[in-house]
Amino acid sequence: MAIRDRFSKKLTCPQCGNSGFAEASEIDDARRKTPDFKVDQLPRGFFVQRPSVHQETFMLKCECGRKFPFRSLAEAAAGRD
């Protein structure tokens, strides 16, 4: 069984400025076809619009209505390992 790589990312909505930290995980095994990306916890005001096994296509929605892919607005959370 592969080990899940867990990490935190800071999300910031470009429309309203809502921000917070998301907890996510994916399988750390380059031999797998997909990383099995999952968002384990979202900050208040963010919701899953369309789940996906890839960060690039996992879509979020802010409470203001703005939709965006997880990876496009996520930045590494310094000191939150």
Side-chain angles (χ1 to χ4, degrees):
M1 188 166 171
I3 296 175
R4 291 195 73 80
D5 182 22
R6 300 188 185 283
F7 51 94
S8 297
K9 295 282 185 168
K10 183 176 181 185
L11 302 176
T12 303
C13 177
Q15 185 167 308
C16 70
N18 183 25
S19 67
F21 291 94
E23 302 297 325
S25 62
E26 61 187 8
I27 294 178
D28 189 18
D29 185 351
R31 296 172 297 185
R32 290 186 53 110
K33 290 183 181 182
T34 65
D36 191 29
F37 175 76
K38 293 182 180 171
V39 174
D40 304 315
Q41 184 177 1
L42 284 171
R44 185 181 308 190
F46 290 97
F47 309 94
V48 175
Q49 175 69 26
R50 186 181 69 226
S52 174
V53 295
H54 298 281
Q55 289 187 48
E56 296 81 9
T57 54
F58 193 101
M59 297 296 291
L60 299 175
K61 182 176 183 179
C62 180
E63 63 188 354
C64 73
R66 177 72 183 253
K67 300 173 192 171
F68 51 89
F70 179 87
R71 186 166 230 168
S72 71
L73 297 178
E75 57 187 72
R80 287 192 53 119
D81 295 331

